[in-house]
Amino acid sequence: MYYLNGKKYKCSVSITMDIFNDRWKLAVIWYLLEKDKRFKELSEDINEISQKTLTLKLKELEEKNIIKREVFAEVPPKVVYSLTPIGLKLKFVLKEMFNWGIEYAKENGKIF
Amino acid sequence: MYYLNGKKYKCSVSITMDIFNDRWKLAVIWYLLEKDKRFKELSEDINEISQKTLTLKLKELEEKNIIKREVFAEVPPKVVYSLTPIGLKLKFVLKEMFNWGIEYAKENGKIF
DNA sequence: CAGGATCCATTACGATACTG
DNA sequence: CAGTATCGTAATGGATCCTG
């Protein structure tokens, strides 16, 4: 039994599902696995996302201690996002999602 | 490059994210990994989900060839859902989500 | 550059009642 | 039992404009 932010979870998998229950958070993690990124870089990586939504998702991930936000006192401003240790461990999840995507495409799509 | 259902994907991970971009599909898979299930069993497993949404998600998963729906001509009706071979392979993803949830709870929650 | 503030459209989801 | 149908709400996300 787990207790987290005022919620109870019977199983640890529910915790993960509960955090990543939207379209974008895992995508952000995916691109942060490449390297630390600035706001604009992320926004170009995930080019379907709006600024507003990206801002929101970054804030949520920071609150949940999954990414870190660093502000550099420069002009123009520079803000760098990176994965925390626990955030970095999501690479195992994403690796399996990557693998499964390939398998799924083999059966149901075209690869070229 | 992948081509699937009229959409292009640069990376296989996007395929997976695109399918499981809602709150419930992965939960359905999770409970089907235990064993084949009837509609009512799933609805009791995931007790926060409404009938309507469960129906919808099962339909979507069936269309995507991830689960199989079998109807038995009985009274009262019996419908059994099971994972297809590709659906079964999601266990690797879910296992990593399970593991990550534990790690996350260790740092950010209470376990008891 | 890195957002904040508004306004608006979509859709996801839930509650309830009903059916073969 | 396994859904459908309908209605209503809440959450999500997008477009645009603005600022330190």
Side-chain angles (χ1 to χ4, degrees):
Chain A
M1 193 73 147
Y2 303 89
Y3 197 77
L4 214 79
N5 294 101
K7 286 185 70 174
K8 285 179 195 167
Y9 298 92
K10 279 177 253 175
C11 175
S12 68
V13 82
S14 313
I15 298 173
T16 313
M17 286 188 199
D18 209 29
I19 295 176
F20 298 98
N21 63 358
D22 61 83
R23 266 221 278 292
W24 302 116
K25 286 201 211 80
L26 272 177
V28 171
I29 306 299
W30 176 255
Y31 287 107
L32 286 181
L33 280 169
E34 286 178 22
K35 64 180 184 71
D36 298 356
K37 295 265 173 85
R38 301 178 66 168
F39 186 88
K40 203 191 182 191
E41 295 179 283
L42 284 171
S43 135
E44 284 164 357
D45 286 338
I46 319 171
N47 60 4
E48 313 96 322
I49 201 173
S50 68
Q51 278 194 344
K52 175 190 161 185
T53 303
L54 181 55
T55 304
L56 177 66
K57 295 306 161 186
L58 288 169
K59 211 166 280 179
E60 289 176 6
L61 285 167
E62 195 196 355
E63 277 171 17
K64 291 179 195 312
N65 197 30
I66 295 168
I67 67 173
K68 192 177 73 178
R69 180 176 186 270
E70 265 178 304
V71 184
F72 295 84
E74 302 177 7
V75 181
K78 179 177 167 183
V79 178
V80 173
Y81 294 93
S82 58
L83 294 167
T84 62
I86 189 72
L88 184 60
K89 289 183 183 170
L90 284 163
K91 71 180 172 194
F92 302 114
V93 174
L94 284 160
K95 185 169 190 288
E96 292 303 331
M97 290 181 69
F98 179 89
N99 290 340
W100 189 86
I102 293 178
E103 294 296 312
Y104 186 77
K106 271 188 203 163
E107 295 191 6
N108 299 278
K110 284 181 191 164
I111 309 178
F112 56 97
Chain B
M1 195 72 147
Y2 303 89
Y3 197 78
L4 213 79
N5 293 103
K7 286 185 72 172
K8 285 179 194 167
Y9 298 91
K10 279 177 254 177
C11 175
S12 68
V13 82
S14 314
I15 298 174
T16 313
M17 286 188 200
D18 210 29
I19 295 177
F20 298 98
N21 64 357
D22 60 84
R23 265 223 276 294
W24 301 116
K25 286 201 211 80
L26 272 177
V28 171
I29 306 298
W30 177 256
Y31 286 108
L32 285 181
L33 280 169
E34 287 179 19
K35 64 179 184 69
D36 298 355
K37 295 266 174 83
R38 301 176 67 166
F39 185 89
K40 203 191 182 192
E41 295 179 284
L42 285 170
S43 135
E44 284 164 357
D45 286 338
I46 320 171
N47 60 6
E48 312 95 323
I49 201 173
S50 67
Q51 276 194 346
K52 177 189 161 185
T53 303
L54 180 55
T55 304
L56 177 65
K57 295 305 160 185
L58 288 169
K59 211 165 280 178
E60 289 176 6
L61 285 167
E62 194 197 355
E63 277 171 17
K64 291 180 196 312
N65 196 30
I66 295 168
I67 67 172
K68 192 177 73 177
R69 179 176 186 270
E70 265 178 304
V71 184
F72 295 84
E74 302 177 8
V75 182
K78 180 177 165 181
V79 179
V80 174
Y81 294 92
S82 58
L83 294 167
T84 62
I86 189 73
L88 184 60
K89 289 182 183 170
L90 284 162
K91 70 181 171 193
F92 302 115
V93 174
L94 283 160
K95 186 169 189 288
E96 293 304 332
M97 290 182 69
F98 179 89
N99 290 341
W100 189 86
I102 294 178
E103 295 295 313
Y104 186 77
K106 272 188 203 163
E107 295 190 6
N108 299 278
K110 285 181 189 164
I111 309 178
F112 57 96

